[in-house]
Amino acid sequence: MRYEVRRTLIAARDIEIRVRELAAVISEDYADRDLLLICVLKGAAIFWADLCRALSIRCQSDFVAMESYGDATVSQEEPRFTKAAGVAISGRDILIVEDIIDTGHTSALLRRLLLTQSPRSLALCAFLDKAERRQVVTPIEYCGFVIPNAFVVGYGLDFAQQYRHLPHIAVLEGTPEG
Ligand code: IMP
Ligand code: MG
């Protein structure tokens, strides 16, 4: 298969507008709280960078890394931590910042892991929700866009570590070679 990025699904301008809307809602909901953003590397890095700079409230950030995909476009069943949070979670208001919720396994596991550390509250902000693909029920308190079942890249999301730098969300399409 040869993979190509042809179709723009979400334009950079629409992302900018939506991120500002999310930040406004989060700023209101977490005013006078002890907000700790947990950015899930690497896919959420660009979303996190835009989102936290659009917040009008105090917050701290930390980073975790989970592994589920390798270089394939289909999720494996059991995601695992490759980098754990470096700051105390206990008693804090935690907002997980994720790039995309697909089967839901990664986010469900991350929630379970963080809950064992007794946060005061725990919520999830996902840039994209591929709702049709869900295998496990997992709440998404803040969602950027619900998208159809396609493999997407850009705005931090990759295919084999490529395309993260695209300022928009594009659909990755495969064509048989030859
Ligand atoms: P889940 O555990 O199946 O929900 O997978 C979530 C993770 O899979 C995300 O954090 C992404 O890293 C990756 N992923 C799922 N769908 C896509 C996609 O369309 N493009 C890029 N990465 C994806
Ligand atoms: Mg990811």
Side-chain angles (χ1 to χ4, degrees), residues 40-44 66 68-69 98-100 106 157-158 164:
V40 184
L41 296 171
K42 305 169 194 170
M66 315 280 294
S68 63
Y69 265 66
E98 262 273 32
D99 52 358
I100 184 167
T106 307
L157 288 100
D158 76 307
R164 293 193 196 277

Side-chain angles (χ1 to χ4, degrees), residues 18-34:
R18 186 70 188 121
V19 169
R20 250 188 270 128
E21 288 172 357
L22 284 173
V25 176
I26 292 166
S27 296
E28 203 176 306
D29 292 356
Y30 287 89
D32 308 314
R33 302 274 289 276
D34 186 20

Side-chain angles (χ1 to χ4, degrees), residues 104-113 136-138:
H105 286 289
T106 307
S107 135
L109 177 72
L110 184 51
R111 269 185 188 268
R112 273 206 309 280
L113 290 170
V136 293
V137 178
T138 184

